[in-house]
Amino acid sequence: MAKTKSAYFCQSCGYESAKWLGKCPSCNSWNTFVEEVIEKPGASVPAWQSSGSTKRSNKPNKITNIAFSEENKLSTNDLELDRVLGGGLVAGSVVLIGGEPGIGKSTLMLQLALNITGKKVLYVSGEESEQQIKMRAERITSNPTADCYILTETSTQNIFKQIEVLEPDIIVVDSIQTLHSAHIDSTPGSVSQVRECTAELLRFAKETDTPVFLIGHITKDGAIAGPKILEHMVDTVLQFEGDRHHVYRILRSIKNRFGAAAELGIYAMHSGGLRQVSNPSEILLSQRDEELSGIAIAATLEGARPMLIETQALVSTAAYGTPQRSATGFDTRRMNMLLAVLEKRCGFRLSTRDVFLNIAGGIKVEDPAIDLAILAAIISSHEDIFISSKICFAAEVGLSGEIRAVNRIEQRIAEADKLGFERIFVSNYNLKGLITDKYKLEITGVNKIEDVFSLLFG
């Protein structure tokens, strides 16, 4: 009789150890190791397929002899989701979606299951009853499709039995942390269970070319719960972000084997479910009746999509002698670097001033092309002089105060031109080879931040 084997796993990162440890060597977390059984006596290799089927072993094949055909991606009837997935759903792909509780992950996946046409979708839920899912389906759509099937089950063995009978084209699992396999003797949501259940679904997806969506929980730090290997196993990792107090939600691609890993999808949460936002620039720019200081517009890119966002800055006297530095939606360390450039290169004394920065709309931006807009907003607030709402910026700022060129400047200018802006500040190096006659707005090239401030405030 085989002996039961066990090991200790870190519940934060999935690190495996033969003995209990007080501190995890991988993530430095304390008291996170839990003993789990990794092999039950007499456990067999899980097989979802029929007992009579056989699988031929693979052999090495020369790369020049491999026939390649372009993947036909399946449209999900959701333009935002298709964009983030890289153009559509690939056969046999496994997609992992993570996000805060109540952010809308289950609503998004149920809308996918109800709206996709011509495909049989199996929605597996381990968290809600059939009546709860039916109530949400009635709320988000008035005409649910007849090809959407609901299964409330947590055992992977029972799920695969129903899959063999139904033979669905797409599978949605809500959530992977609620599933458990009989081949692992541990509780659902543990490291070994999450890894084993994902491995079984991954084998099923690859051998049958059936796309699988997995909804995953996240930790208090914002990372997807379970072992880090979970993100390596799947083909695509999507992060559903947003503040529950705002209506807008952002679907961000973190990893994608079939497309760009920097795409962005924007939704608006309403009582009737999630609605696609086709033009995010209009919602990210506030409608102002009068000109206000401390506001500058930046032309940024998220994946292949150009957007114009509003950067807001507030500079005030430090009340207690120690200045505060706070940034929402932008890296605080980069903001401190830009403030140091202003002090060193332009002579603005901000060491005794509180500086608060906010990216309007609740989104997070990492594009360095918004550097110039942030500096312009800070100086606008510091001097209490407004910048015209018809001016935008698209340039990176270096440590010596030089204005650096950014990529894909034509898309940024075209988006600003489409929204009716009259002037855009870019680096002089971006003007080389740029055809400016086809744009209505004025394109101003600058070399140093002193040139920008003299043109704006001089």
Side-chain angles (χ1 to χ4, degrees), residues 31 126 196 283 291 344 384 440:
N31 298 325
E196 178 64 24
I283 68 164
E291 301 287 4
K344 178 71 174 179
D384 200 18
K440 297 179 181 178

Side-chain angles (χ1 to χ4, degrees), residues 19 26 69 94 136 169 178 183 230 246 298 335 345 347 371 416:
K19 61 180 181 179
S26 177
S69 59
V94 180
R136 192 187 318 129
D169 299 307
T178 62
H183 302 284
L230 178 63
H246 289 79
M335 182 187 74
R345 305 299 176 188
D371 287 353

Side-chain angles (χ1 to χ4, degrees), residues 144-357:
T145 175
D147 289 334
C148 177
Y149 295 82
I150 307 298
L151 174 63
T152 54
E153 182 60 69
T154 57
S155 171
T156 56
Q157 282 68 33
N158 295 337
I159 291 172
F160 285 130
K161 287 179 182 178
Q162 299 303 321
I163 287 174
E164 280 193 282
V165 175
L166 184 63
E167 296 183 351
D169 299 307
I170 300 173
I171 297 174
V172 178
V173 177
D174 183 13
S175 64
I176 187 62
Q177 277 81 11
T178 62
L179 299 190
H180 69 89
S181 172
H183 302 284
I184 299 292
D185 190 12
S186 60
T187 58
S190 61
V191 172
S192 54
Q193 280 286 7
V194 170
R195 183 167 51 191
E196 178 64 24
C197 294
T198 304
E200 291 182 19
L201 289 166
L202 185 65
R203 285 194 294 268
F204 164 78
K206 299 304 179 185
E207 294 180 16
T208 63
D209 284 341
T210 304
V212 177
F213 284 92
L214 305 177
I215 296 178
H217 299 165
I218 66 170
T219 64
K220 62 181 180 180
D221 298 326
I224 295 177
K228 194 68 177 177
I229 193 175
L230 178 63
E231 298 181 39
H232 293 285
M233 294 170 68
V234 300
D235 299 306
T236 305
V237 179
L238 306 180
Q239 189 81 12
F240 211 31
E241 304 172 353
D243 190 342
R244 282 180 291 175
H245 303 293
H246 289 79
V247 297
Y248 298 112
R249 303 288 188 269
I250 296 172
L251 185 64
R252 192 184 301 273
S253 173
I254 299 175
K255 168 192 173 183
N256 193 355
R257 290 175 178 162
F258 310 110
E263 288 294 345
L264 198 72
I266 300 181
Y267 296 87
M269 175 66 82
H270 298 288
S271 59
L274 292 163
R275 298 289 180 265
Q276 304 173 43
V277 177
S278 58
N279 190 0
S281 297
E282 293 182 355
I283 68 164
L284 296 174
L285 299 177
S286 63
Q287 306 298 322
R288 306 193 299 271
D289 294 330
E290 58 179 340
E291 301 287 4
L292 302 171
S293 63
I295 296 177
I297 310 300
T300 183
L301 282 173
E302 287 290 345
R305 165 184 280 183
M307 295 189 301
L308 269 78
I309 60 173
E310 185 177 286
T311 61
Q312 303 171 345
L314 175 63
V315 180
S316 61
T317 304
Y320 301 104
T322 303
Q324 300 182 61
R325 301 285 188 263
S326 176
T328 303
F330 189 70
D331 187 8
T332 307
R333 292 173 298 180
R334 187 166 186 86
M335 182 187 74
N336 290 331
M337 182 195 76
L338 295 175
L339 292 174
V341 172
L342 277 180
E343 288 218 22
K344 178 71 174 179
R345 305 299 176 188
C346 300
F348 289 101
R349 300 303 175 191
L350 300 172
S351 57
T352 60
R353 312 280 277 176
D354 291 339
V355 180
F356 303 95
L357 182 68

